[in-house]
C-alpha cells in the first residue's frame, strides 16, 4: 500500500513530465514556423542555428512573450475570472461570524494550522444548486477556496473539512498555476500551428522550409488530440494528489471518501450540465460533470486510491 506522501511524489513526477513535454512541443512549433519564415534549405541545420541564436528565433520568442503576457493578465484577474457569473459571499474572519459561516472560517483555520500553510486563502460561498468546490491561486495575493451553498448545506462538518483540505492542497501543490500555464501554452501553440503554415507562403519552397510546413500541417490534426489527452492526464494526476493531500492533512481518508460519494450521488440524481454560467472554472471543480473527456478520474478510482488500492 502506498503512503499519501508516495502518492503525492508519484503525481508530482507525472506533472513535471507533462510540463516538460508541453514546453518541448511549444518551442518546437515556434522553431518550425521560424524555419518556414527563413526559408531554410535544411531542416536539421536550421533548427540548430535557431536554437543557438545563430539565426534569431523571432516567432519562437514572440510565442514565449505572448504566453508570459497572457499569464500575467490571467494572474492579475484570476479571482474575478473564477468567481464571475454567480452570486458569492466572502467569509471575512475579521467580522463577527455566526452559524455555518463561523464554522467554515474555523475549519479553514484548523486546516491552515494542521498543514503549516503560511498564508490564508480567501474563503467564498458560491450560490449554486449543485454540490461542488474549487480553488484558485497559489499565494497570499490570489489564493481562494470556494464552496457551493448546496455542498455546505448537505455535508457533515468533517466532510466539508475534507473538501476544503482538498482545495487547500491544490493551492499548496501549486497545480492551479501549472494547469493555467499549460492551458495558455496549449492554446498558443495550437493557434501558431494552425496559422503558421499559411503566413509564410510566397517564395519559401526550399527543402527545409517545405518539410517544416508539412510537419506543421500534420501537427494541425495531431496536436488538438494530443493536447487534450495531456491536459486530461495532468488534471487527473492533480486530483489524485489533492485527494491524497486532504487525507494526509486530516490523517484520515474516510471523510474525503464520504464527501466524494455524496457529491457524486448529487450529480447522478440531477442534471447540472447547464447550471454553471462560467465554463472557465469547470476543470477546477472538485467533481467534473463531463463524461466522455472528463478532466477528472472516476469517483471509483479516486476512492480506491484513497483506500490504497487500484481499480
Amino acid at each position: 500500500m502506498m503512503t499519501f506522501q508516495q502518492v503525492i511524489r508519484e503525481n508530482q513526477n507525472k506533472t513535471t513530465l507533462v510540463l516538460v513535454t508541453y514546453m518541448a512541443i511549444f518551442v518546437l512549433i515556434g522553431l518550425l514556423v521560424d524555419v518556414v519564415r527563413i526559408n531554410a534549405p535544411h531542416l536539421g541545420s536550421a533548427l540548430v542555428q535557431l536554437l543557438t541564436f545563430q539565426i534569431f528565433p523571432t516567432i519562437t520568442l514572440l510565442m514565449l512573450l505572448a504566453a508570459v503576457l497572457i499569464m500575467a493578465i490571467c494572474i492579475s484577474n484570476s479571482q474575478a475570472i473564477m468567481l464571475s457569473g454567480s452570486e458569492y459571499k466572502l467569509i471575512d474572519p475579521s467580522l463577527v461570524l455566526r452559524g455555518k459561516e463561523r464554522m467554515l472560517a474555523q475549519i479553514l483555520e484548523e486546516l491552515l494550522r494542521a498543514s503549516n500553510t503560511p498564508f490564508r486563502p480567501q474563503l467564498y460561498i458560491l450560490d449554486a444548486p449543485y454540490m461542488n468546490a474549487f480553488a484558485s491561486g497559489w499565494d497570499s495575493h490570489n489564493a481562494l477556496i470556494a464552496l457551493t451553498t448546496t455542498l455546505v448545506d448537505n455535508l457533515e462538518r468533517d466532510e466539508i473539512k475534507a473538501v476544503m483540505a482538498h482545495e487547500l492542497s491544490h493551492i499548496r501543490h501549486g497545480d492551479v498555476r501549472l494547469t493555467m500555464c499549460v492551458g495558455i501554452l496549449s492554446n498558443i501553440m495550437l493557434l501558431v500551428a494552425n496559422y503558421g503554415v499559411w503566413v509564410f507562403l510566397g517564395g519559401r519552397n526550399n527543402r527545409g522550409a517545405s518539410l517544416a510546413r508539412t510537419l506543421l500541417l500534420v501537427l494541425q490534426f495531431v496536436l488538438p488530440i494530443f493536447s487534450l489527452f495531456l491536459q486530461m492526464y495532468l488534471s487527473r494526476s492533480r486530483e489524485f494528489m489533492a485527494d491524497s493531500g486532504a487525507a494526509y492533512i486530516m490523517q484520515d481518508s474516510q471523510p474525503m471518501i464520504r464527501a466524494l460519494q455524496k457529491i457524486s450521488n448529487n450529480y447522478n440524481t440531477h442534471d447540472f450540465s447547464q447550471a454553471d454560467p462560467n465554463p472557465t472554472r469547470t476543470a477546477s471543480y472538485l467533481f467534473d460533470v463531463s463524461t466522455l473527456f472528463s478532466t477528472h478520474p472516476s469517483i471509483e478510482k479516486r476512492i480506491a486510491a484513497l483506500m490504497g488500492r487500484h481499480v
Side-chain angles (χ1 to χ4, degrees), residues 3-125:
T3 66
F4 296 131
Q5 298 98 320
Q6 289 173 324
V7 172
I8 290 173
R9 193 179 307 114
E10 177 183 302
N11 284 289
Q12 283 175 335
N13 292 335
K14 292 178 182 178
T15 296
T16 301
L17 177 62
V18 171
L19 183 59
V20 170
T21 303
Y22 255 109
M23 289 301 299
I25 297 172
F26 186 83
V27 172
L28 176 62
I29 296 296
L31 291 173
L32 288 174
V33 178
D34 272 317
V35 170
V36 177
R37 175 182 62 84
I38 65 176
N39 193 26
H42 302 288
L43 178 61
S45 59
L47 290 174
V48 172
Q49 289 175 317
L50 289 164
L51 283 169
T52 57
F53 283 78
Q54 296 175 49
I55 300 175
F56 195 76
T58 305
I59 303 300
T60 306
L61 293 181
L62 284 175
M63 285 176 62
L64 290 170
L65 178 61
V68 170
L69 289 175
I70 295 172
M71 286 176 197
I73 293 171
C74 290
I75 289 171
S76 61
N77 296 281
S78 61
Q79 290 201 359
I81 292 171
M82 292 298 290
L83 292 170
S84 65
S86 301
E87 294 291 328
Y88 57 86
K89 182 177 183 180
L90 173 66
I91 307 302
D92 189 346
S94 66
L95 302 177
V96 177
L97 301 174
R98 294 182 174 84
K100 290 186 176 179
E101 292 183 9
R102 182 181 180 183
M103 177 192 71
L104 294 175
Q106 289 174 340
I107 289 174
L108 181 56
E109 291 301 327
E110 292 169 9
L111 291 172
L112 295 178
R113 287 195 300 269
S115 62
N116 293 316
T117 303
F119 59 88
R120 185 187 189 279
Q122 289 188 321
L123 181 59
Y124 290 89
I125 298 180

Side-chain angles (χ1 to χ4, degrees), residues 189-218:
M189 73 182 187
L190 290 173
L191 183 67
V192 174
N194 289 337
Y195 289 98
V197 178
W198 312 109
V199 172
F200 304 106
L201 284 176
R204 290 174 170 80
N205 298 314
N206 282 339
R207 184 177 178 182
S210 297
L211 181 55
R213 186 180 288 117
T214 300
L215 290 173
L216 286 169
L217 282 169
V218 173

Side-chain angles (χ1 to χ4, degrees), residues 32-299:
L32 288 174
V33 178
D34 272 317
V35 170
V36 177
R37 175 182 62 84
I38 65 176
N39 193 26
H42 302 288
L43 178 61
S45 59
L47 290 174
V48 172
Q49 289 175 317
L50 289 164
L51 283 169
T52 57
F53 283 78
Q54 296 175 49
I55 300 175
F56 195 76
T58 305
I59 303 300
T60 306
L61 293 181
L62 284 175
M63 285 176 62
L64 290 170
L65 178 61
V68 170
L69 289 175
I70 295 172
M71 286 176 197
I73 293 171
C74 290
I75 289 171
S76 61
N77 296 281
S78 61
Q79 290 201 359
I81 292 171
M82 292 298 290
L83 292 170
S84 65
S86 301
E87 294 291 328
Y88 57 86
K89 182 177 183 180
L90 173 66
I91 307 302
D92 189 346
S94 66
L95 302 177
V96 177
L97 301 174
R98 294 182 174 84
K100 290 186 176 179
E101 292 183 9
R102 182 181 180 183
M103 177 192 71
L104 294 175
Q106 289 174 340
I107 289 174
L108 181 56
E109 291 301 327
E110 292 169 9
L111 291 172
L112 295 178
R113 287 195 300 269
S115 62
N116 293 316
T117 303
F119 59 88
R120 185 187 189 279
Q122 289 188 321
L123 181 59
Y124 290 89
I125 298 180
L126 198 74
D127 187 16
Y130 46 84
M131 295 170 62
N132 227 321
F134 65 86
S136 181
W138 49 87
D139 59 29
S140 59
H141 302 292
N142 56 26
L144 71 85
I145 294 172
L147 311 173
T148 65
T149 49
T150 307
L151 181 139
V152 174
D153 290 339
N154 287 277
L155 292 188
E156 299 297 326
R157 189 185 193 279
D158 63 339
E159 296 162 355
I160 294 174
K161 187 173 183 177
V163 168
M164 290 175 65
H166 172 102
E167 301 305 336
L168 181 62
S169 294
H170 276 311
I171 295 170
R172 285 166 50 81
H173 298 159
D175 57 26
V176 177
R177 172 173 50 193
L178 178 65
T179 304
M180 182 190 70
C181 292
V182 165
I184 291 170
L185 291 175
S186 177
N187 288 326
I188 293 176
M189 73 182 187
L190 290 173
L191 183 67
V192 174
N194 289 337
Y195 289 98
V197 178
W198 312 109
V199 172
F200 304 106
L201 284 176
R204 290 174 170 80
N205 298 314
N206 282 339
R207 184 177 178 182
S210 297
L211 181 55
R213 186 180 288 117
T214 300
L215 290 173
L216 286 169
L217 282 169
V218 173
L219 287 172
Q220 281 185 314
F221 299 98
V222 174
L223 272 181
I225 300 172
F226 185 69
S227 178
L228 173 63
F229 280 99
L230 270 182
Q231 290 191 61
M232 287 170 60
Y233 181 77
L234 176 63
S235 295
R236 292 180 181 194
S237 294
R238 66 190 280 271
E239 289 306 317
F240 282 128
M241 196 158 59
D243 286 343
S244 298
Y248 180 67
I249 291 172
M250 295 187 65
Q251 294 297 299
D252 185 3
S253 61
Q254 288 304 311
M256 191 72 233
I257 290 173
R258 292 197 302 272
L260 288 172
Q261 290 171 332
K262 290 182 178 180
I263 294 169
S264 177
N265 289 337
N266 177 242
Y267 277 87
N268 289 337
T269 54
H270 300 82
D271 181 13
F272 296 124
S273 58
Q274 306 298 321
D276 192 342
N278 184 349
T280 305
R281 60 181 174 236
T282 302
S284 299
Y285 273 128
L286 174 78
F287 182 85
D288 180 22
V289 300
S290 304
T291 53
L292 182 59
F293 294 112
S294 175
T295 58
H296 290 33
S298 68
I299 291 297

